[in-house]
Amino acid sequence: MFIIGDILLFLTTALVFSITCLCVLLHVRSKDSYTSGFLAVLIPLCLQMFLTMLYAYIPRVYPPELLTGEIYSYFCLSATLVSIFLTTLLLFTMSRYLIALLPASEQEKALGKRILGFLVLVFLILSLLVIIGMSEGDWILAMNLTFSYHFFSGSVFMVLHGFIALLYRKKAQGWEQERLLTGISATFLPLLVLFPLDLIFFWNHAFKFTYLSFSAFAVYLYYFISRRYFLTYEVVSEASVSQQTDFLDAHDVSSREQEIIALLVKGLSNREIAELLFISPNTVKTHIKNIYAKLGVSNRVLLFSLLQKDSRR
């Protein structure tokens, strides 16, 4: 089972890392509130999984004589504390994200944030007290306890999140909210089944089946934001641009600049636009810069988003 655990740990870490990188790219392009919320969850998860891989493979790479002494003890203490805080941060950001997503009043959300914030703080304090107390100054033992049991025990919070998401799913306001709540409940409620499997097969291994739930959640998040990205930012028809002449005129966008916008929507590059309009690429860049300034955007993605929002009015 250790070989299977190693393979699953590598695959889930690579998957979460890849999705985190893709979400970063989408966030850079779109500056979307959805992607920023997802990254607040994905980045701590990604760092925690990298740290778990480091814990799993260092004893197999370095000779035993290097895994003793004061330096290695400091490394174990640092890894223990970083892992505890990363897991706690993941629970905190996931809790805030879920509460912000719920179709509840602002007073209820504020109360929920305070309650879950208090629970996460209690979890952090108890984690430090229990792990440090059980290790009795043996930081190698503290690290083993942390990576074997701490993330596993913290995942109990995710089951609570799954039930909350399931409870509020029918009250969702809009398809985006409903699908996100469905994704949270569908990926974290199966932990009720995965917990016993971890106790049986991976109790003493760094990998836990709970990582599969988090990986599935990461995949679901990427599917959601990539679909939303292409629907919101990439699908802009030339007809929609021609229908927004009044909107563009109101922002003092000239006829030449409107012509360039229509070509941008077609997906043409600056050089292709220059060749088509018989102007230089630098002139195209100047026109695009002026378009961005007049419409208050900074890139093509935000421009397409603005055009779509106006066409829906």
Side-chain angles (χ1 to χ4, degrees), residues 87-131:
T87 300
T88 305
L89 178 61
L90 173 61
L91 297 178
F92 179 73
T93 55
M94 186 65 201
S95 299
R96 290 184 65 86
Y97 173 73
L98 174 62
I99 292 172
L101 189 63
L102 295 178
S105 65
E106 292 302 320
Q107 292 80 2
E108 291 174 333
K109 289 182 179 181
L111 177 61
K113 287 180 180 179
R114 285 195 293 269
I115 293 174
L116 284 176
F118 174 75
L119 292 176
V120 171
L121 179 62
V122 170
F123 174 77
L124 172 62
I125 295 173
L126 289 177
S127 299
L128 292 171
L129 291 176
V130 171
I131 291 175

Side-chain angles (χ1 to χ4, degrees), residues 13-14 17 45-55 147:
T13 303
F17 175 69
L45 174 62
C46 186
L47 293 175
Q48 173 61 32
M49 296 187 76
F50 268 122
L51 194 60
T52 302
M53 281 196 65
L54 189 66
Y55 159 78
F147 286 95

Side-chain angles (χ1 to χ4, degrees), residues 242-253:
S242 63
Q243 294 169 0
Q244 295 167 1
T245 304
D246 294 339
F247 170 76
L248 296 174
D249 288 341
H251 287 79
D252 296 324
V253 179

Side-chain angles (χ1 to χ4, degrees), residues 123-308:
F123 174 77
L124 172 62
I125 295 173
L126 289 177
S127 299
L128 292 171
L129 291 176
V130 171
I131 291 175
I132 293 176
M134 291 181 64
S135 63
E136 296 180 345
D138 184 348
W139 304 128
I140 297 177
L141 175 60
M143 184 175 69
N144 291 334
L145 291 172
T146 300
F147 286 95
S148 295
Y149 312 126
H150 184 254
F151 188 85
F152 171 81
S153 59
S155 299
V156 174
F157 274 90
M158 298 298 105
V159 177
L160 175 62
H161 293 346
F163 278 114
I164 294 174
L166 184 64
L167 179 64
Y168 278 90
R169 187 178 64 86
K170 293 183 179 180
K171 303 177 183 178
Q173 301 168 354
W175 71 270
E176 292 179 339
Q177 191 178 63
E178 181 181 359
R179 291 194 177 185
L180 285 171
L181 291 173
T182 300
I184 292 173
S185 60
T187 52
F188 291 125
L189 287 181
L191 286 172
L192 293 172
V193 177
L194 296 179
F195 282 150
L197 294 178
D198 279 332
L199 294 175
I200 297 172
F201 297 108
F202 294 110
W203 183 242
N204 292 315
H205 195 281
F207 174 80
K208 296 290 186 291
F209 275 122
T210 52
Y211 280 124
L212 293 179
S213 284
F214 282 94
S215 300
F217 182 61
V219 171
Y220 188 86
L221 286 183
Y222 179 70
Y223 166 76
F224 176 86
I225 63 171
S226 60
R227 182 175 182 273
R228 185 179 185 277
Y229 173 84
F230 288 112
L231 287 176
T232 303
Y233 299 115
E234 296 292 349
V235 184
V236 183
S237 65
E238 186 178 4
S240 68
V241 176
S242 63
Q243 294 169 0
Q244 295 167 1
T245 304
D246 294 339
F247 170 76
L248 296 174
D249 288 341
H251 287 79
D252 296 324
V253 179
S254 67
S255 57
R256 172 64 90 178
E257 290 167 346
Q258 292 184 32
E259 190 177 5
I260 289 176
I261 291 175
L263 295 174
L264 289 173
V265 167
K266 287 183 176 181
L268 272 63
S269 66
N270 291 356
R271 182 173 295 278
E272 290 171 333
I273 293 174
E275 293 175 355
L276 190 62
L277 299 180
F278 302 102
I279 56 179
S280 70
N282 286 334
T283 302
V284 175
K285 290 181 181 179
T286 300
H287 281 307
I288 293 175
K289 184 178 179 181
N290 291 335
I291 292 169
Y292 290 167
K294 291 177 180 179
L295 298 179
V297 297
S298 58
N299 55 55
R300 297 189 187 196
V301 175
L302 295 178
L303 172 63
F304 297 162
S305 175
L306 180 64
L307 294 174
Q308 271 209 336

